[in-house]
Amino acid sequence: MHTHSLRNRSALALAGVLLAGTPAAYTALADSRSAAVPTRGKAYVETRLFFGTARPDGGPAVTDRQFTAFVDKEVTPDFPDGLTVQSGRGQWRDAHGTIEKERSYELILLYPESVAKGGDRKIEEIRRAYEKAFAQESVGRVDEHAQVDF
C-alpha cells in the first residue's frame, strides 16, 4: 500500500510540473511565431468563384468543353496574367429548398489591390454571364486579402 501511495504522489507531482510548465512553454512558442515573420509579396485580392454545372431548368449539365470555352471568352480577356481552375463536387440549397449535388468548378483569381475596384466590376460581369449562359441561380464568390509573391 505504501508503494501505491508513493506512485500516486509521484504521478501528481509530475502532473503538477507539466501543468505548471505548459503556460510558459505555450507563451514562448506563441512569442516565437509572431516575432520577425517576414512579409513577402505585394498586397493582392484573391477571388474564388464557384460554378455549378447542373441546370435548374433540367437542361444538360455544363460540360468541361463548355466551361473551358466560357473561361477563354469571359475570364481570360479581363484576367490575362493567370488563373487557376479546379474541378470539384459540391452541394447547395437552391431557391426551392432542395439540396442540389453537382459537379462544379472553382476559379481562383489573384490581382493587385490597386486594381481591385475595376476587378470587382469585371468579376460581377463574369458571374452574370455564367448565370445567363447556363441558366444558373447564382455563382458563389469569396474575396480575401493576400500577400502574393511570384
Side-chain angles (χ1 to χ4, degrees), residues 95-115:
H96 304 291
T98 303
I99 294 179
E100 300 289 343
K101 296 181 181 190
E102 60 189 325
R103 220 173 26 84
S104 60
Y105 298 97
E106 177 184 20
L107 172 70
I108 303 167
L109 300 166
L110 294 169
Y111 48 96
E113 281 188 357
S114 60
V115 299

Side-chain angles (χ1 to χ4, degrees), residues 1-146:
M1 195 145 165
H2 178 49
T3 305
H4 181 67
S5 176
L6 184 59
R7 269 192 250 152
N8 284 344
R9 276 187 267 167
S10 296
L12 286 173
L14 180 59
V17 168
L18 290 174
L19 289 174
T22 300
Y26 180 75
T27 302
L29 180 61
D31 289 343
S32 71
R33 285 184 185 162
S34 62
V37 175
T39 301
R40 300 225 186 274
K42 297 180 179 164
Y44 269 63
V45 175
E46 175 185 359
T47 297
R48 291 180 289 149
L49 299 177
F50 299 91
F51 300 89
T53 58
R55 298 186 195 217
D57 64 4
V62 178
T63 66
D64 287 338
R65 178 172 281 169
Q66 289 172 314
F67 187 77
T68 299
F70 175 83
V71 169
D72 291 346
K73 179 182 176 200
E74 300 291 340
V75 182
T76 301
D78 289 329
F79 296 92
D81 293 337
L83 55 88
T84 299
V85 174
Q86 298 183 53
S87 295
R89 300 228 26 105
Q91 71 180 43
W92 74 299
R93 188 181 309 272
D94 69 14
H96 304 291
T98 303
I99 294 179
E100 300 289 343
K101 296 181 181 190
E102 60 189 325
R103 220 173 26 84
S104 60
Y105 298 97
E106 177 184 20
L107 172 70
I108 303 167
L109 300 166
L110 294 169
Y111 48 96
E113 281 188 357
S114 60
V115 299
K117 193 174 239 180
D120 178 70
R121 179 187 50 77
K122 293 172 184 177
I123 290 166
E124 287 306 300
E125 289 172 2
I126 291 166
R127 293 173 73 197
R128 283 191 300 274
Y130 190 82
E131 290 165 2
K132 182 177 178 183
F134 300 108
Q136 298 293 299
E137 284 184 24
S138 69
V139 171
R141 178 178 178 171
V142 176
D143 294 304
E144 295 187 60
H145 295 278

